Amino acid sequence: MATAPDAPRPGPAGLAAARAELLAAPGPGGRGRRTALSALTDAWLAGLFTAAGAPAGVAVVAVGGYGRGELSPRSDLDVLLLHEGRLDPAVPERLWYPVWDSGASLDHAVRTPAEARSVAAADLKAQLGLLDARHVAGDPALTAALRSAVLADWRAGAPRRLPELRELVRQRAERHGELSFLLEPDLKEARGGLRDVVTLGAIAASWLADAPREGLDAAALRLADVRDALHLVTGRATERLALQDQDQVAERLGVPDADALLREVYRAARTVAYASDVAWRSVERVLAARSGRGRRPARRFPFTAAGRGAPARGAPARGPVERRPLAEGVVEQDGEAVLARGARPAADPVLPLRAAAAAAQNGLALSHATVRRLAAECRPLPVPWPDEAREQLVTLLGAGEACLPVWEALEARGLITRLLPDWEWVRCRPQRNAVHRWTVDRHLVETAVRAAAMTRRVARPDLLLVAALLHDIGKGRPGDHSEAGEAVVRGLAARMGFDPESVETLAVLVRHHLTLVDTATRRDPEDPATVEAVTKAVGSVARLELLRALTEADALATGPAAWSGWRAALVDGLAARAAARLTGPPGGCPGPVEAEPTAEQERLAVEAVRTGGPALSLAARSETDAAGGGPMGGRLLLAVPDRPGLLGTVAGVLALHRLAVRSAGLRELDPVGAGPVLLLSWTVAAEFGELPQAARLRADLRRALDGSLDVARRLAERDAAAPRRRGAPVPPPVVTVAPPVASASATVLEVRAHDAPGLLHRIGRALDGAGVRVRTAHVSTLGADAVDAFYLTDAAGRPLTAGRAGEVAAAVRAALG
């Protein structure tokens, strides 16, 4: 029998008094009190069982929470009276009536083992309760036999019952919401609550999968302690932590206030929710493998299970594991992003961000084993961050909805606060405002998700995404959160390695992220002073463009009541009047840079004239090398005698060599008066491995320029052979012709699109096919977004007519799909 040897045995009338004495006793409560309460109840039921005169072959079995020994002050008693088939009806009556008389809430059943198994087979909830069956009194062999049979049934039927359980979990989450974000959460039924802890135990009992255990027990204990305190404060068997009870519950638990209590609850719930996500993905992989529905990528890499630890007990034996490259040090395996076999986390501090960005951009989860290893082995990023780290953070945020589960995985192992120490200040911080749906930190990530759909509206999508992530970083600090946030973001932006002008822009956006909507809805929009206040705050058209997008993203991420057609119209009207008052390059188009050529550029130009072919230099960037372990970056200078189609051809060759263009510039030189030479300055990064040899790159450029290498065909063949991934949805490309004021000597075509291999090649071919000359070009890749400006002329060197410019823009749009 499970009763403690020294447990008291109160009579039927004494249980209520004994329970009251136990609950009133000084001490911390928690698991010890729940265990003592269970032992007290065991002893009482054992006494009732003896007094009832039950014959041999009968047992009292605790199931559900009582079976786990987790009785809260107002918990139900879930009890099964088990018998072998012949039982006097008076026995259960003599057992149940004293329980009812005591005031305890009783959930009872009387069954044979066969009946119990039959009910479990038909009722999933009943089967889950029996998984925690524990002997209390009577025949222990009967209880042991039932436990063994129920566990065997559960494991045999797991491939059928686990999907059914998964659907119940999903429906429950839809009904009760996410515990991590609710101001009045249901501690048991909401996603991340105590019911999910029980579900994880059932998954583990199936022997098909298990959840990560780091912090899970502590999280479950904290949620149970809060529920105990709630029962004692309210005197009721309630699971909802209502606003009016939170201060008393916090006081009973020794927590400073209700906000601190909610933060503890939210942290525990996130731990449970993340463990559930990992466990269910494992279940889905195992079941898919058993049914033959597993993913079948195009490329195979032999990798046995021995390299990762033995498979879960009961899982099918594994052959070679299929892996597909995603980024340097990151591959796809079993529908998750994992570390490549040659990855070196200790030597590659950018790897956590690169892995996260690759996972999100490809619509994949970041595997728990990968996150755990990254947290254990990666050293902190240098300060300021390398360029790649900043670009990968922006790429992660730019994935939109696909960013969320990846961000949660990084948070689960503390990687976010390691990257952004100020994040801890807002992490799990509640917002006691009926308009807000989320905690502060989740609202920030949701704002970045919304902003990811608006990156085509602005010339600096990277600043929009980072401002969205940090705009409320000052919440919870003394004073106005916008002013506090401005000070914080200046330090964070400098830490990330942004240049001084970008740091200032981010500070302005954070300081004034409420200015547009507050001014538009509270001031007279026709008053010149209203417009003056906005123009003074932002200072430029480019910042106004960013602030307008941030305003909408912030409101949409707040909740349905924060944004409407009426508010949008007011904000748009105010922004338009402010833009008319400001001056600056429309749309953020950069002007042509005509700095004096360097000695290296002149040398390459002279060599190109002398040889009639390409001349280049390729040097690795030292800052990339200093980071260690990541993809190699470099600076490529290329001089080529001018000819049609040059930009697209060169970009295609770089794509064939798997060089991602981070930035590029194009200008004309005439070093010896023998005709123009195009000078292209590229900042590139190798997608995988190291930079190509300069001699090989020059040879392929020569072949592409003389027509012996069909770049377009080679790229098409490679694209056709590449596996198709669902990826993260991205905004469609935007191709616009800037107003004539953007340049007096050329027509400026601006392209904003999702960066992809061969993007610049496709643009260059479209421009060549349209019969225009690219006089200069300015190409920037900001995270996952390309923002390019091309200065175009006709064959005679004149700006294009409006009609001709429209045709060229249409041709580029068609090329980008």
Side-chain angles (χ1 to χ4, degrees):
M1 194 165 71
T3 305
D6 57 348
R9 290 179 177 269
L15 177 64
R19 283 170 57 90
E21 182 180 355
L22 175 61
L23 295 175
R31 172 179 280 172
R33 184 172 59 198
R34 289 188 291 275
T35 301
L37 191 56
S38 297
L40 175 67
T41 306
D42 287 354
W44 182 60
L45 286 177
L48 291 179
F49 181 79
T50 300
V58 181
V60 177
V61 181
V63 298
Y66 180 29
R68 294 188 297 274
E70 296 175 357
L71 277 184
S72 287
R74 297 289 174 176
S75 289
D76 292 348
L77 299 183
D78 295 329
V79 181
L80 170 65
L81 187 62
L82 198 63
H83 64 96
E84 293 179 326
R86 295 178 302 277
L87 183 65
D88 183 351
V91 172
E93 291 182 2
R94 290 194 291 267
L95 187 61
W96 305 145
Y97 275 101
V99 178
W100 291 324
D101 290 342
S102 74
S105 179
L106 177 66
D107 187 354
H108 63 90
V110 181
R111 294 186 180 115
T112 66
E115 289 170 342
R117 292 176 67 187
S118 177
V119 169
D123 185 343
L124 178 58
K125 292 181 180 179
Q127 188 172 35
L128 293 176
L130 285 174
L131 291 177
D132 295 310
R134 179 174 58 83
H135 183 70
V136 173
D139 185 351
L142 200 59
T143 305
L146 176 65
R147 275 186 54 84
S148 297
V150 167
L151 283 170
D153 292 344
W154 174 246
R155 288 163 186 154
R160 174 178 57 86
R161 307 234 64 175
L162 283 176
E164 184 182 348
L165 178 57
R166 181 73 181 95
E167 180 60 21
L168 288 179
V169 169
R170 186 193 64 78
Q171 293 174 2
R172 177 164 45 80
E174 286 185 354
R175 285 195 306 271
H176 298 280
E178 292 206 43
L179 178 50
S180 301
F181 308 118
L182 297 169
L183 280 177
E184 293 188 311
D186 188 310
L187 298 170
K188 186 175 183 180
E189 302 294 344
R191 180 176 181 266
L194 291 166
R195 186 75 75 186
D196 279 340
V197 176
V198 176
T199 300
L200 291 176
I203 293 174
S206 74
W207 285 355
L208 292 185
D210 198 2
R213 291 289 156 183
E214 300 94 341
L216 184 58
D217 287 343
L221 283 173
R222 195 52 177 162
L223 292 176
D225 290 349
V226 174
R227 180 176 62 171
D228 285 1
L230 180 62
H231 284 189
L232 292 172
V233 163
T234 63
R236 295 180 289 111
T238 180
E239 311 296 343
R240 185 170 299 281
L241 186 58
L243 291 174
Q244 67 267 21
D245 301 322
Q246 290 173 8
D247 284 316
Q248 289 177 274
V249 171
E251 182 180 1
R252 190 169 193 97
L253 292 170
V255 177
D257 54 33
D259 277 4
L261 171 67
L262 282 181
R263 293 189 81 176
E264 290 191 6
V265 169
Y266 292 164
R267 289 190 180 102
R270 289 191 188 183
T271 299
V272 174
Y274 175 68
S276 298
D277 289 342
V278 174
W280 283 117
R281 287 202 304 270
S282 297
V283 168
E284 289 168 3
R285 284 197 303 273
V286 171
L287 296 184
R290 285 189 166 193
S291 64
R293 293 183 291 105
R295 292 169 175 260
R296 302 189 63 81
R299 189 175 178 187
R300 284 184 172 270
F301 294 84
F303 188 63
T304 62
R308 304 175 63 209
R313 191 165 18 171
R318 297 179 61 126
V321 176
E322 297 172 330
R323 299 160 70 88
R324 295 186 293 194
L326 297 175
E328 179 65 20
V330 188
V331 299
E332 177 186 356
Q333 176 183 308
D334 287 339
E336 294 182 324
V338 304
L339 294 185
R341 298 178 70 183
R344 297 182 298 145
D348 188 358
V350 183
L351 187 54
L353 284 171
R354 190 184 316 118
Q361 286 292 327
N362 287 279
L364 302 172
L366 191 59
S367 88
H368 172 67
T370 291
V371 178
R372 184 172 54 193
R373 184 180 171 197
L374 290 171
E377 298 182 25
C378 277
R379 54 189 171 89
L381 283 167
V383 178
W385 290 5
D387 288 348
E388 191 207 351
R390 190 173 60 256
E391 292 163 0
Q392 296 293 356
L393 174 64
V394 172
T395 302
L396 168 62
L397 299 175
E401 291 281 350
C403 166
L404 289 173
V406 177
W407 188 274
E408 289 171 356
L410 296 178
E411 273 215 308
R413 298 298 296 171
L415 285 165
I416 296 298
T417 49
R418 186 186 300 183
L419 291 165
L420 306 170
D422 292 281
W423 192 258
E424 187 60 33
W425 192 263
V426 297
R427 184 169 180 263
C428 294
R429 183 173 293 279
Q431 303 200 78
R432 296 185 178 275
N433 184 317
V435 175
H436 276 279
R437 300 174 56 197
W438 310 107
T439 55
V440 177
D441 59 333
R442 179 58 179 265
H443 168 71
L444 293 175
V445 182
E446 290 282 346
T447 305
V449 167
R450 298 288 188 167
M454 304 175 188
T455 52
R456 303 294 176 264
R457 302 186 191 179
V458 298
R460 287 294 302 272
D462 57 330
L463 297 185
L464 173 61
L465 292 169
V466 173
L469 181 69
L470 301 177
H471 73 277
D472 276 345
I473 198 70
K475 282 195 171 178
R477 297 173 185 267
D480 181 271
H481 80 276
S482 298
E483 295 178 2
E486 177 188 4
V488 173
V489 85
R490 287 184 185 277
L492 275 176
R495 177 188 180 92
M496 292 179 184
F498 281 105
D499 62 80
E501 176 62 24
S502 297
V503 171
E504 185 63 28
T505 295
L506 287 169
V508 168
L509 293 174
V510 172
R511 174 67 182 85
H512 293 287
H513 70 272
L514 296 175
T515 295
L516 268 183
V517 70
D518 284 352
T519 305
T521 56
R522 299 177 184 177
R523 301 269 295 275
D524 179 4
E526 302 298 333
D527 187 344
T530 302
V531 178
E532 178 67 22
V534 174
T535 57
K536 184 177 180 180
V538 297
S540 71
V541 172
R543 285 180 182 169
L544 178 63
E545 196 178 59
L546 287 165
L547 186 60
R548 169 61 186 84
L550 175 60
T551 299
E552 183 176 348
D554 182 19
L556 290 172
T558 298
W563 193 247
S564 64
W566 171 74
R567 284 175 180 261
L570 289 177
V571 168
D572 284 340
L574 177 59
R577 282 187 286 274
R581 294 279 297 273
L582 292 167
T583 59
C589 296
V593 179
E594 297 295 343
E596 289 297 317
T598 65
E600 177 73 358
Q601 290 172 333
E602 289 186 337
R603 182 187 67 79
L604 291 174
V606 170
E607 182 180 345
V609 171
R610 180 178 62 80
T611 62
L616 64 84
S617 66
L618 178 61
R621 294 189 336 204
S622 59
E623 65 171 325
T624 306
D625 296 340
M632 183 69 72
R635 183 75 172 174
L636 172 64
L637 292 177
L638 173 66
V640 188
D642 193 11
R643 67 183 72 187
L646 182 63
L647 178 63
T649 299
V650 174
V653 172
L654 297 185
L656 281 178
H657 283 265
R658 297 193 180 276
L659 290 175
V661 178
R662 309 310 304 171
S663 64
L666 181 152
R667 62 182 295 187
E668 288 184 352
L669 290 179
D670 190 356
V672 293
V677 172
L678 287 185
L679 182 70
L680 299 96
S681 302
W682 309 76
T683 301
V684 297
E687 290 184 30
F688 308 103
E690 299 181 350
L691 295 173
Q693 294 181 347
R696 182 180 174 189
L697 188 59
R698 184 185 296 109
D700 282 348
L701 283 168
R702 287 183 178 277
R703 293 172 57 212
L705 292 170
D706 67 23
S708 60
L709 174 62
D710 190 338
V711 174
R713 181 179 61 82
R714 288 279 299 277
L715 286 174
E717 289 174 349
R718 192 176 74 184
D719 288 346
R724 294 289 176 258
R725 301 187 181 93
R726 58 187 181 276
V730 297
V734 173
V735 182
T736 57
V737 179
V741 69
S743 174
S745 57
T747 297
V748 180
L749 185 76
E750 190 173 45
V751 179
R752 300 176 183 179
H754 184 74
D755 188 38
L759 174 69
L760 191 55
H761 170 68
R762 295 197 297 276
I763 296 172
R765 288 192 70 195
L767 294 176
D768 180 43
V772 295
R773 293 185 62 217
V774 181
R775 201 189 76 191
T776 60
H778 300 271
V779 175
S780 298
T781 303
L782 305 169
D785 294 295
V787 180
D788 305 337
F790 302 92
Y791 287 72
L792 309 177
T793 66
D794 59 19
R798 298 184 300 263
L800 307 181
T801 65
R804 186 80 178 95
E807 293 172 358
V808 173
V812 174
R813 287 191 202 99
L816 298 181

